[in-house]
């Protein structure tokens, strides 16, 4: 296509009063050859622009999804951390209660809790 464009330009630049009819016919013939190529080029360019726009929209959508997933992961990690802290606190309280309970003689426990036989320390 570039070669044909250069040929057309040269033909147009070489038109003078003496060869105007012949050069005009050459220019029209060259234009007739170039027109389908130019139309194809325009259609292909538009297709590529549409593809690029579509891919940009997809990339933007993916960035939004990624941001949402990162936020969800952060929230889950925070929740997990909070649950770990609560669990640690409950374990600490349970161990403290077990230590206190182990200091009470079994006879006293039996008096306080006569219905529950086999209480384990």
């Amino acid at each position: 296509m570039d070669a044909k464009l250069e040929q057309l330009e040269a033909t147009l630049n070489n038109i003078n009063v003496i060869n105007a009819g012949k050069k005009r016919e050459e220019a029209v013939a060259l234009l007739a050859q170039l027109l389908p190529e130019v139309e194809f080029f325009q259609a292909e360019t538009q297709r590529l622009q549409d593809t690029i726009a579509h891919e940009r929209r997809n990339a933007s959508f993916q960035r939004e999804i990624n941001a949402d997933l990162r936020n969800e992961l952060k929230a889950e990690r925070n929740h997990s951390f909070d649950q770990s802290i609560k669990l640690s606190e409950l374990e600490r309280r349970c161990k403290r209660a077990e230590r206190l309970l182990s200091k009470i003689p079994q006879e006293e426990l039996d008096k306080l809790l006569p219905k529950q036989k086999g209480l384990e320390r």
Side-chain angles (χ1 to χ4, degrees):
M1 187 165 91
D2 289 338
K4 289 179 184 177
L5 283 173
E6 289 176 14
Q7 187 180 0
L8 177 62
E9 185 178 11
T11 300
L12 292 174
N13 287 336
N14 291 327
I15 294 178
N16 58 38
V17 176
I18 298 172
N19 66 4
K22 181 181 175 190
K23 293 293 180 178
R24 180 185 166 279
E25 289 174 12
E26 286 178 32
V28 169
L30 285 170
L31 280 173
Q33 291 175 6
L34 275 172
L35 188 59
E37 291 180 38
V38 169
E39 288 174 343
F40 174 79
F41 182 76
Q42 286 176 330
E44 187 65 12
T45 301
Q46 185 60 49
R47 185 187 70 77
L48 291 173
Q49 288 174 341
D50 292 345
T51 300
I52 290 168
H54 177 74
E55 291 305 319
R56 285 184 177 157
R57 285 189 300 273
N58 279 346
S60 176
F61 182 65
Q62 286 302 319
R63 282 191 296 273
E64 290 176 16
I65 289 173
N66 289 346
D68 289 345
L69 289 173
R70 278 191 296 275
N71 290 338
E72 189 176 327
L73 177 61
K74 183 179 177 181
E76 286 299 321
R77 284 180 176 161
N78 288 342
H79 178 71
S80 178
F81 180 75
D82 290 344
Q83 294 293 66
S84 294
I85 289 174
K86 288 177 183 177
L87 181 59
S88 294
E89 179 60 22
L90 287 173
E91 287 173 344
R92 186 190 64 77
R93 289 171 61 191
C94 181
K95 286 179 183 179
R96 182 172 177 244
E98 287 173 347
R99 279 193 311 271
L100 291 174
L101 188 60
S102 69
K103 293 180 181 180
I104 300 173
Q106 185 64 42
E107 301 81 35
E108 292 300 318
L109 285 176
D110 291 341
K111 289 179 191 174
L112 293 172
L113 306 168
K115 295 179 184 173
Q116 294 184 351
K117 297 293 181 190
L119 182 65
E120 293 183 23
R121 291 184 176 211

